[in-house]
Amino acid sequence: MIIVIKDNQMTIIDEIRNRFEGTHEVFVHHNRVAIQGISETDLTQDEKIAADAIIDNVPAAVQGSRLFHPEDTVITTKHSQIGGAHFTMMAGPCSVESAEHVMKMAKVAKSGGATILRGGAFKPRTSPYSFQGLGEDGLKYLRAAADAYDMDVLTEVMDQDHVDMIARYTDIFQIGARNMQNFSLLKAVGKTNIPVMLKRGMSATIDDILNAAEYIAAGGNHQIMITERGIRTFDNKYTRNTLDLGAVPVLQKLTHYPVIVDPSHAAGHTEFVVPEALAGVAIGASGLVVEIHDDPAHAFSDGAQALKPDEYRQMAAKAFAIRQLITTPNEEKSEVTL
Amino acid sequence: MIIVIKDNQMTIIDEIRNRFEGTHEVFVHHNRVAIQGISETDLTQDEKIAADAIIDNVPAAVQGSRLFHPEDTVITTKHSQIGGAHFTMMAGPCSVESAEHVMKMAKVAKSGGATILRGGAFKPRTSPYSFQGLGEDGLKYLRAAADAYDMDVLTEVMDQDHVDMIARYTDIFQIGARNMQNFSLLKAVGKTNIPVMLKRGMSATIDDILNAAEYIAAGGNHQIMITERGIRTFDNKYTRNTLDLGAVPVLQKLTHYPVIVDPSHAAGHTEFVVPEALAGVAIGASGLVVEIHDDPAHAFSDGAQALKPDEYRQMAAKAFAIRQLITTPNEEKSEVTL
Amino acid sequence: MIIVIKDNQMTIIDEIRNRFEGTHEVFVHHNRVAIQGISETDLTQDEKIAADAIIDNVPAAVQGSRLFHPEDTVITTKHSQIGGAHFTMMAGPCSVESAEHVMKMAKVAKSGGATILRGGAFKPRTSPYSFQGLGEDGLKYLRAAADAYDMDVLTEVMDQDHVDMIARYTDIFQIGARNMQNFSLLKAVGKTNIPVMLKRGMSATIDDILNAAEYIAAGGNHQIMITERGIRTFDNKYTRNTLDLGAVPVLQKLTHYPVIVDPSHAAGHTEFVVPEALAGVAIGASGLVVEIHDDPAHAFSDGAQALKPDEYRQMAAKAFAIRQLITTPNEEKSEVTL
Amino acid sequence: MIIVIKDNQMTIIDEIRNRFEGTHEVFVHHNRVAIQGISETDLTQDEKIAADAIIDNVPAAVQGSRLFHPEDTVITTKHSQIGGAHFTMMAGPCSVESAEHVMKMAKVAKSGGATILRGGAFKPRTSPYSFQGLGEDGLKYLRAAADAYDMDVLTEVMDQDHVDMIARYTDIFQIGARNMQNFSLLKAVGKTNIPVMLKRGMSATIDDILNAAEYIAAGGNHQIMITERGIRTFDNKYTRNTLDLGAVPVLQKLTHYPVIVDPSHAAGHTEFVVPEALAGVAIGASGLVVEIHDDPAHAFSDGAQALKPDEYRQMAAKAFAIRQLITTPNEEKSEVTL
């Protein structure tokens, strides 16, 4: 249940909190108090009087809900703002391959307007015998490349025991699709104050990902963004996954966290990455995260889906233009009357 | 197998056709000859010499394939062009409700730039006890409304025995998702010379829809457009279907038929129709088909997904602007060198 | 709404029927009256008094519902009984290939305990250029073979214009998965008095198939059986479809129609057909329909999934034994007390 | 590539191992040597001569493959044998609720023939605010209950940092569906010598789960069983997941690990658990794992799917009978000749 407190009754919030904390989960956001597991009959007469509105049927993932937190969350890092009116480009290689290569890729990413450099140093590979990433060395190269171009670092954490170490290098943690319900990992990043990009699992429903985000929020970390990266459906002959772009406005209605689109993993093939990226912008995502490579055929991982530098820059120019177009009110007035 | 004939050897085409017809399916498009069920060893020495290229691994749906017919199909009706460089807006009510109402809706559709008026007179309803449409009277109202505003008619045919009757009223047949593999119906419209909009079945793969289109083409009707309208996936709590926008560039690569997006049935709720429509334009569709209604709460069918007149017009203005943006080359030159 | 009438008030049924018919769909089964689109407040005081119970939240597919028709439907043909306590084996070739071949297959089918001979004379093929069946000649061969071994005929009807002709040869119509929502076809077989096997569409929900069955029942034909034959999911590398056996007890709870399992199309490969068939029996299906062939490598269609005669007979022997086992009460008493 | 060495050439195995180890992954099982990333041209003339057969196209998950390890893996714990000719019943409450309750449930489990007691002490819950399990205390109660009835313990490990602690109480680790691709956790249990039950992820393909098992095997632990527990599909109105029983014979063909069926999580409702369980036996699974509870309405978690003691015992009696039936050759000879 959420109680919306009247402006002139805000002092009751502490009383409510004190009364329920210990026995219930209680969350406060401005004039809204969410209490898990109670109903209106549990409120005192004074509390009811102080309420401007009482909202039942609140989802379990209450801290992420617009009902509890109506305004957009905007995440601020050193070089970027994510969410709200902002549009953010994130680009980089799938894997950090070497100090030189990630430096080169940072330059490309920046040239297309990216303020966040992505790159994997610990790679979740389907087979135990595949390349597993450069590890901490990779993180050093990634950090250096981002610093050289005044960008933020985004990199994946796969293991709760790596959180502290990776925290020394990254500005944003990525939780990958396969770990979306690795609750120990979610709790571990929830205890940090570093923003988290949470990728939707391949068969995660909208509610599943909001509950996964809630595991992070429950630890006190509210700087969360949610990334749509394609789901598993019956049709995967020509694309790797089905990009569920319809999830973007649905998520934006339900949650205040920024919603990002990753067209690379969904498309799986370069030729489909650009149109899926532009569609992601048109549908209203707060940003894109794309994989780039100057020599995709020799990429350490996922080369088939990496954009070449020129493809990336042309896509990015279109993306910013579409973003501007959809956020500008139509000039022409509707003059037809029925 | 497809044989691409050299420019100076075109006379051999008739010989090849004569040699194989009767025992094999043979199709000719300009300098390309497709023959089902043979391989290179079945060709004579002369035929091999006349060939500029021989293409194996041709899909069964050969007439729809870009390998056989590389250039875009452009469908021309009295008021519209569909495919190629054209972008086409199609709008109208889900069901034709009355002569007056469809006339009013035609005015709205036209005001947003639509050149094609959609409307259902025979409705495929999940339950036999639901409203099944106004039948032939509905077609008359629809035709009159389209004529009044210089538009083409698009309406669904559900039954092969209705083809001739509906042909008297419509400019384009719609085959609905549930009938995508109703082969008798596909054959029936394949024998007409009226363009067909074929909607993707809810669990149809890309190959399935191309094969369904081939049933129409096999009858001699090549004026086909393919419409993505959402597929069935594990997640349908907030949207009715999952709009598989990634299918649009995939289809455009594989087939020369125009690809249209129907955001209304996928989204299922008005608030998600507009962003899905704009994403459909950004991903490169040749057109949109959307449901509109001035009083959605009292629509005879599918009111929850109908755009109100103003919502529709604003969406349409953005849609045309995005179309122009994505089809205009970027002005700025890429000046970064690696 | 369904009204269950008290035993001593049955005369009111005709009054209710007369009062609502014309404006509402009204169905009567023994002491149950179903009326579409009304609620308890629409009843008179007398009607309420005559009611033993009033059931709201009745599904649209009311005639198929256990709420309206609690007892099992048992379909009786010349040689078979299907549903209730009966277990029915149906077998035969995918396609009727020749008079001789189908005769041979009938002998095999019979030897495994089948009382129904299946065989396709009109084949729904994904590609228009594939073998489409022998047509009416095939039906003649199939009929002759069934008669020679005292079996019933089960064959697919794909086209409403074929219903009368096929009715001259078959004992049971099959509606295939692709036509599950071909409403014109459903209506056409609904007007006959020939039993119908309705196969679940590849992405049909439980409710979808019950609504499709209702189209048949709405025409007056209540001899319907429902067949689970595999659905489309994300995993189709090793099997053709995912056999949703869990749907069998779900359907049996919701509807009184017999539920049959087709393991052949789901498995797609012979080695998986037998275990899927036995699982279908163990889960409680009223029958199996399987494809058999003496020379699968040269079958006209779907050879990969056809059981050879010995495989079929061994499967059938196990199937009947499992059926007997699961329908026999456990002898041993539970003697553990908590 | 796998090289099958001739019986009289076994001494070459050590030479091959020495030549490739360090640069390639090399695995030896009896007379089979698997080497990742090489092809026949990399072998010496002597090596080719020593080979009885050379197998290309080996899956990445080579240690789990029948091509490398043709005979069934049989896992032996103190009270149970799993795999091969054995059939194993595993039962217990979803959550360990108290010392007394799990003791009572152990008695029930045993009375139905179970030799393995399942119970969760660390629960993966969708919401962070749901009951998360009794933790180590729960493990103590579970261990005591299993010991009292001479049973083995099966319990879930969700966190790599818990592996050592849980190892002190359990005989078999369970890895849940949500953690199927938590590679750090897979590696952690792979370093122990405790058997692992790996549950299939909700959208994991057959290849995905075999690769996940390979992460365990790569650490040296080959005592793995794979559990089918239902996948996510478009239809989840009446059952929680779609039990993909067809995956059982597919897995048994591809891998030597025992395959277990969990009908409880798939069915989601008690009334469907029993038929799904029996179908799991009929399709050939090596065992069942089912949830039981004496008072489902008050279970701490997942009560809707728990079998009551009598339901469980009746199911188990049928299950053992079906197992015996399907593993006994048919007595009757096939006497029909074509």
Side-chain angles (χ1 to χ4, degrees):
Chain A
M1 201 183 66
I2 291 172
I3 316 166
V4 185
I5 304 295
K6 290 174 180 156
D7 284 350
N8 60 357
Q9 304 276 330
M10 299 284 280
T11 54
I12 204 168
I13 290 180
D14 281 345
E15 293 173 36
I16 297 177
R17 192 204 298 261
N18 291 337
R19 196 160 80 80
F20 286 102
E21 249 175 15
T23 54
H24 294 77
E25 301 282 349
V26 181
F27 308 101
V28 177
H29 177 70
H30 298 164
N31 66 329
R32 287 170 192 246
V33 185
I35 310 167
Q36 297 271 44
I38 71 160
S39 64
E40 190 167 342
T41 57
D42 296 307
L43 297 185
T44 65
Q45 197 55 27
D46 279 359
E47 288 164 351
K48 287 182 192 167
I49 290 169
D52 208 35
I54 290 176
I55 306 172
D56 284 328
N57 298 322
V58 176
V62 64
Q63 296 193 71
S65 169
R66 289 257 185 213
L67 298 173
F68 173 67
H69 183 307
E71 66 280 10
D72 290 343
T73 282
V74 177
I75 296 171
T76 302
T77 55
K78 193 169 174 194
H79 303 290
S80 313
Q81 286 196 292
I82 307 155
H86 306 279
F87 181 77
T88 313
M89 185 67 70
M90 318 179 197
C94 180
S95 294
V96 177
E97 301 186 359
S98 69
E100 296 69 33
H101 185 260
V102 70
M103 187 64 75
K104 207 194 252 187
M105 290 303 98
K107 187 178 181 184
V108 173
K110 182 79 175 193
S111 73
T115 57
I116 295 175
L117 180 66
R118 62 145 291 152
F122 295 89
K123 301 298 302 173
R125 304 305 296 275
T126 303
S127 165
Y129 312 125
S130 300
F131 171 65
Q132 308 265 323
L134 295 183
E136 190 165 357
D137 281 348
L139 295 175
K140 289 177 184 168
Y141 308 152
L142 183 63
R143 180 75 266 169
D147 288 346
Y149 290 95
D150 294 327
M151 299 172 82
D152 297 310
V153 162
L154 163 67
T155 199
E156 179 162 356
V157 56
M158 288 171 56
D159 185 324
Q160 72 223 51
D161 298 337
H162 293 174
V163 167
D164 290 345
M165 184 269 287
I166 295 179
R168 292 198 293 274
Y169 300 98
T170 200
D171 300 293
I172 307 171
F173 285 123
Q174 179 184 304
I175 305 280
R178 292 176 183 81
N179 278 316
M180 195 202 82
Q181 290 189 316
N182 177 342
F183 298 128
S184 298
L185 180 59
L186 296 174
K187 287 176 182 170
V189 298
K191 287 178 199 142
T192 73
N193 60 0
I194 294 175
V196 180
M197 167 184 278
L198 179 63
K199 288 199 166 182
R200 183 181 184 186
M202 275 189 282
S203 65
T205 63
I206 298 288
D207 289 345
D208 285 341
I209 193 163
L210 293 175
N211 277 305
E214 196 77 2
Y215 265 91
I216 302 170
N221 186 350
H222 302 283
Q223 299 187 84
I224 300 168
M225 57 192 113
I226 292 178
T227 297
E228 164 61 33
R229 46 77 74 205
I231 58 173
R232 275 237 163 112
T233 70
F234 62 84
D235 203 3
N236 51 15
K237 179 169 173 184
Y238 299 105
T239 53
R240 190 167 164 181
N241 291 111
T242 299
L243 191 65
D244 180 11
L245 286 174
V248 175
V250 170
L251 282 164
Q252 288 172 331
K253 182 185 180 190
L254 299 174
T255 186
H256 48 90
Y257 301 131
V259 181
I260 309 297
V261 165
D262 167 1
S264 304
H265 287 83
H269 303 281
T270 305
E271 61 197 317
F272 306 133
V273 172
V274 171
E276 292 200 354
L278 300 185
V281 181
I283 213 161
S286 289
L288 292 176
V289 53
V290 294
E291 294 187 356
I292 57 176
H293 203 284
D294 55 328
D295 184 12
H298 296 96
F300 284 20
S301 57
D302 284 350
Q305 70 199 33
L307 295 181
K308 289 189 198 170
D310 274 350
E311 291 170 333
Y312 158 68
R313 280 188 292 260
Q314 286 170 27
M315 178 281 288
K318 292 283 191 211
F320 285 107
I322 292 176
R323 173 69 182 188
Q324 186 166 4
L325 193 157
I326 63 164
T327 53
T328 306
N330 291 331
E331 283 175 34
E332 57 209 300
K333 290 282 172 285
S334 160
E335 293 177 17
V336 178
T337 52
L338 291 177
Chain B
M1 201 184 66
I2 292 172
I3 316 168
V4 185
I5 305 294
K6 289 175 181 156
D7 285 350
N8 60 356
Q9 306 276 328
M10 299 284 279
T11 55
I12 205 169
I13 290 180
D14 280 345
E15 293 172 36
I16 297 177
R17 192 203 298 260
N18 291 337
R19 196 159 80 81
F20 287 103
E21 250 174 16
T23 54
H24 295 76
E25 301 282 349
V26 181
F27 308 103
V28 176
H29 177 69
H30 298 167
N31 65 330
R32 287 171 192 245
V33 185
I35 311 167
Q36 297 271 43
I38 69 159
S39 62
E40 193 170 339
T41 57
D42 296 307
L43 298 186
T44 64
Q45 196 57 25
D46 279 358
E47 287 163 353
K48 286 181 193 169
I49 288 168
D52 208 33
I54 290 176
I55 306 172
D56 284 328
N57 299 319
V58 175
V62 64
Q63 295 192 73
S65 169
R66 289 258 185 213
L67 298 173
F68 174 66
H69 183 307
E71 66 279 10
D72 290 343
T73 282
V74 176
I75 297 170
T76 301
T77 55
K78 192 169 174 195
H79 303 289
S80 313
Q81 286 195 291
I82 307 154
H86 306 280
F87 180 78
T88 313
M89 185 67 71
M90 319 180 195
C94 180
S95 295
V96 177
E97 302 186 358
S98 70
E100 297 69 31
H101 186 260
V102 70
M103 188 64 76
K104 206 195 255 187
M105 289 304 98
K107 186 178 181 185
V108 173
K110 182 81 176 193
S111 74
T115 57
I116 296 174
L117 180 66
R118 62 144 292 151
F122 296 89
K123 300 298 303 172
R125 304 305 297 276
T126 303
S127 165
Y129 313 125
S130 300
F131 172 65
Q132 309 264 322
L134 295 182
E136 189 165 358
D137 282 348
L139 294 176
K140 290 176 184 169
Y141 307 153
L142 183 64
R143 179 75 265 167
D147 288 345
Y149 291 96
D150 295 326
M151 299 172 81
D152 298 309
V153 162
L154 163 68
T155 199
E156 178 161 355
V157 57
M158 288 172 56
D159 186 321
Q160 72 223 52
D161 298 337
H162 293 173
V163 167
D164 290 344
M165 184 270 286
I166 295 179
R168 292 198 293 273
Y169 301 98
T170 200
D171 301 293
I172 307 171
F173 286 123
Q174 179 184 302
I175 305 282
R178 292 174 184 80
N179 278 316
M180 196 201 83
Q181 291 189 314
N182 177 342
F183 298 127
S184 297
L185 181 58
L186 297 175
K187 287 176 183 171
V189 298
K191 287 179 200 143
T192 74
N193 60 359
I194 294 175
V196 180
M197 167 183 278
L198 179 63
K199 288 200 167 182
R200 183 183 183 185
M202 274 189 283
S203 64
T205 62
I206 298 288
D207 289 345
D208 284 343
I209 193 162
L210 293 175
N211 277 305
E214 195 77 2
Y215 266 91
I216 302 170
N221 186 350
H222 302 283
Q223 299 187 85
I224 301 167
M225 57 192 113
I226 293 178
T227 297
E228 164 60 34
R229 46 77 75 208
I231 58 173
R232 276 237 163 112
T233 69
F234 61 85
D235 204 3
N236 50 13
K237 179 169 173 183
Y238 299 104
T239 52
R240 192 167 165 181
N241 290 112
T242 299
L243 190 64
D244 180 11
L245 286 174
V248 174
V250 170
L251 282 164
Q252 289 171 329
K253 182 186 179 188
L254 298 174
T255 186
H256 49 89
Y257 300 130
V259 181
I260 308 298
V261 165
D262 167 359
S264 304
H265 287 83
H269 303 281
T270 305
E271 62 196 317
F272 307 133
V273 172
V274 171
E276 291 200 355
L278 300 185
V281 181
I283 213 161
S286 289
L288 292 176
V289 53
V290 294
E291 294 187 357
I292 58 176
H293 204 283
D294 55 328
D295 184 12
H298 297 95
F300 285 20
S301 57
D302 284 349
Q305 70 199 33
L307 294 182
K308 289 188 196 169
D310 275 350
E311 291 169 333
Y312 158 68
R313 281 187 291 261
Q314 287 170 26
M315 177 282 288
K318 293 283 191 212
F320 285 107
I322 291 175
R323 173 69 180 188
Q324 186 166 6
L325 193 156
I326 62 164
T327 53
T328 307
N330 292 330
E331 282 175 35
E332 57 209 302
K333 289 282 173 285
S334 161
E335 293 179 17
V336 179
T337 50
L338 291 177
Chain C
M1 200 185 68
I2 291 171
I3 316 167
V4 185
I5 304 295
K6 290 175 181 156
D7 285 350
N8 59 357
Q9 305 277 328
M10 299 285 279
T11 54
I12 204 168
I13 290 181
D14 281 344
E15 293 173 36
I16 297 178
R17 193 204 297 260
N18 292 336
R19 197 160 79 81
F20 287 102
E21 250 174 16
T23 55
H24 296 76
E25 301 283 348
V26 181
F27 309 102
V28 177
H29 177 70
H30 298 166
N31 66 331
R32 287 170 192 246
V33 185
I35 311 167
Q36 297 272 43
I38 70 159
S39 62
E40 190 168 341
T41 56
D42 296 307
L43 298 185
T44 65
Q45 196 55 28
D46 280 358
E47 287 164 353
K48 286 181 194 169
I49 288 168
D52 208 35
I54 290 177
I55 305 172
D56 284 328
N57 298 321
V58 175
V62 64
Q63 296 192 72
S65 170
R66 288 258 184 212
L67 298 173
F68 173 66
H69 182 307
E71 66 280 9
D72 290 342
T73 282
V74 177
I75 297 171
T76 301
T77 55
K78 193 170 175 195
H79 303 288
S80 313
Q81 285 194 292
I82 306 154
H86 305 280
F87 180 77
T88 313
M89 184 68 69
M90 318 180 194
C94 181
S95 294
V96 177
E97 302 186 359
S98 70
E100 296 69 31
H101 186 261
V102 71
M103 188 64 76
K104 204 195 257 187
M105 290 303 97
K107 185 177 182 186
V108 173
K110 182 80 175 192
S111 74
T115 58
I116 295 175
L117 180 66
R118 61 144 292 152
F122 295 89
K123 301 297 303 172
R125 304 305 298 274
T126 303
S127 166
Y129 313 125
S130 300
F131 172 66
Q132 309 265 322
L134 294 183
E136 190 165 357
D137 283 346
L139 295 175
K140 290 176 184 169
Y141 308 152
L142 183 64
R143 180 74 266 167
D147 288 345
Y149 291 95
D150 294 327
M151 300 173 80
D152 297 310
V153 162
L154 163 67
T155 198
E156 178 161 356
V157 56
M158 288 172 55
D159 186 321
Q160 73 224 50
D161 297 338
H162 294 173
V163 167
D164 290 344
M165 183 271 286
I166 295 179
R168 293 198 293 273
Y169 301 98
T170 200
D171 300 292
I172 307 170
F173 285 124
Q174 178 183 304
I175 305 280
R178 291 175 185 80
N179 277 316
M180 195 201 83
Q181 291 189 315
N182 178 342
F183 298 128
S184 298
L185 180 59
L186 297 174
K187 287 176 182 172
V189 298
K191 286 179 200 142
T192 74
N193 60 0
I194 294 176
V196 180
M197 166 182 280
L198 179 62
K199 288 199 167 184
R200 182 181 184 187
M202 274 189 283
S203 64
T205 63
I206 298 288
D207 289 345
D208 284 342
I209 193 163
L210 293 175
N211 277 305
E214 195 77 2
Y215 266 91
I216 301 169
N221 186 349
H222 302 284
Q223 300 187 84
I224 300 167
M225 56 193 112
I226 293 179
T227 297
E228 164 61 33
R229 45 77 75 207
I231 58 173
R232 275 237 163 112
T233 69
F234 62 84
D235 203 3
N236 51 14
K237 180 170 172 183
Y238 299 104
T239 53
R240 192 165 163 182
N241 290 113
T242 299
L243 190 65
D244 180 12
L245 286 174
V248 175
V250 170
L251 282 164
Q252 289 172 330
K253 182 185 180 191
L254 298 174
T255 187
H256 49 89
Y257 301 131
V259 181
I260 309 297
V261 165
D262 167 0
S264 304
H265 287 83
H269 302 281
T270 306
E271 61 197 317
F272 307 134
V273 172
V274 172
E276 292 200 354
L278 299 185
V281 181
I283 212 161
S286 288
L288 291 177
V289 53
V290 293
E291 295 188 356
I292 57 177
H293 203 284
D294 55 328
D295 184 11
H298 296 96
F300 284 20
S301 56
D302 283 349
Q305 71 199 33
L307 295 182
K308 289 188 197 170
D310 275 350
E311 291 169 333
Y312 159 68
R313 281 188 290 259
Q314 288 170 26
M315 179 282 288
K318 294 282 191 212
F320 285 107
I322 292 176
R323 174 68 181 189
Q324 186 166 4
L325 194 157
I326 62 164
T327 53
T328 307
N330 291 332
E331 285 175 31
E332 57 209 302
K333 290 281 173 285
S334 159
E335 293 178 17
V336 178
T337 51
L338 290 178
Chain D
M1 202 184 69
I2 291 172
I3 316 167
V4 185
I5 304 294
K6 290 175 181 156
D7 284 350
N8 59 356
Q9 305 276 327
M10 299 285 279
T11 53
I12 204 168
I13 291 180
D14 281 346
E15 291 172 38
I16 296 177
R17 193 204 298 261
N18 291 336
R19 195 158 81 81
F20 285 102
E21 249 175 18
T23 53
H24 295 77
E25 300 282 348
V26 181
F27 308 103
V28 176
H29 177 69
H30 297 166
N31 66 329
R32 284 168 195 248
V33 185
I35 310 168
Q36 297 270 43
I38 70 159
S39 62
E40 191 168 341
T41 56
D42 295 308
L43 297 185
T44 65
Q45 196 56 27
D46 279 358
E47 287 163 353
K48 286 181 194 169
I49 289 169
D52 209 35
I54 290 177
I55 307 171
D56 284 327
N57 298 321
V58 175
V62 64
Q63 295 193 72
S65 170
R66 289 258 184 212
L67 298 173
F68 174 66
H69 182 307
E71 68 278 11
D72 289 343
T73 282
V74 177
I75 296 172
T76 303
T77 55
K78 193 169 174 193
H79 303 288
S80 312
Q81 285 194 291
I82 308 154
H86 306 279
F87 181 77
T88 312
M89 185 68 70
M90 319 181 195
C94 180
S95 293
V96 177
E97 301 186 359
S98 69
E100 296 68 31
H101 185 260
V102 71
M103 188 65 75
K104 205 193 254 187
M105 289 304 98
K107 187 178 180 184
V108 173
K110 182 80 175 192
S111 73
T115 57
I116 295 174
L117 180 66
R118 62 143 293 150
F122 295 89
K123 301 297 303 170
R125 304 305 296 277
T126 303
S127 165
Y129 313 125
S130 300
F131 172 64
Q132 308 265 322
L134 294 183
E136 189 166 358
D137 282 347
L139 294 176
K140 289 176 185 169
Y141 308 153
L142 183 64
R143 179 76 265 168
D147 287 345
Y149 290 96
D150 294 328
M151 298 173 81
D152 297 309
V153 163
L154 163 67
T155 199
E156 178 162 355
V157 56
M158 287 171 57
D159 185 323
Q160 73 224 50
D161 298 337
H162 293 174
V163 167
D164 291 344
M165 184 269 287
I166 294 178
R168 292 198 293 274
Y169 301 98
T170 201
D171 300 294
I172 307 171
F173 285 123
Q174 178 183 305
I175 305 281
R178 291 176 184 80
N179 277 317
M180 196 201 82
Q181 291 190 315
N182 177 342
F183 298 127
S184 297
L185 180 59
L186 296 175
K187 287 176 183 172
V189 299
K191 287 180 199 142
T192 73
N193 59 359
I194 295 176
V196 180
M197 167 183 278
L198 179 63
K199 289 199 167 184
R200 183 182 183 186
M202 274 190 281
S203 64
T205 63
I206 298 288
D207 289 344
D208 284 342
I209 193 163
L210 293 176
N211 277 305
E214 194 77 2
Y215 265 92
I216 301 171
N221 186 349
H222 302 283
Q223 300 187 85
I224 300 167
M225 57 192 112
I226 292 178
T227 298
E228 166 59 34
R229 46 77 75 206
I231 57 172
R232 276 237 163 112
T233 69
F234 61 85
D235 203 3
N236 50 14
K237 179 170 174 183
Y238 299 104
T239 52
R240 191 166 165 183
N241 289 112
T242 299
L243 190 64
D244 180 11
L245 287 174
V248 175
V250 170
L251 282 165
Q252 289 172 331
K253 182 186 179 190
L254 298 175
T255 186
H256 49 89
Y257 301 131
V259 181
I260 309 298
V261 165
D262 167 0
S264 304
H265 286 83
H269 303 282
T270 305
E271 63 197 314
F272 307 134
V273 172
V274 172
E276 292 200 354
L278 300 185
V281 181
I283 212 161
S286 289
L288 292 176
V289 53
V290 294
E291 294 187 357
I292 58 177
H293 203 284
D294 55 328
D295 184 11
H298 297 95
F300 285 18
S301 56
D302 283 349
Q305 70 200 32
L307 295 182
K308 289 189 198 170
D310 275 350
E311 292 170 332
Y312 159 67
R313 281 187 291 259
Q314 288 169 27
M315 178 282 288
K318 293 282 192 213
F320 284 108
I322 292 176
R323 173 68 181 188
Q324 186 166 4
L325 194 157
I326 62 164
T327 53
T328 306
N330 292 331
E331 283 175 33
E332 57 208 300
K333 290 283 172 285
S334 159
E335 294 178 17
V336 178
T337 50
L338 290 178

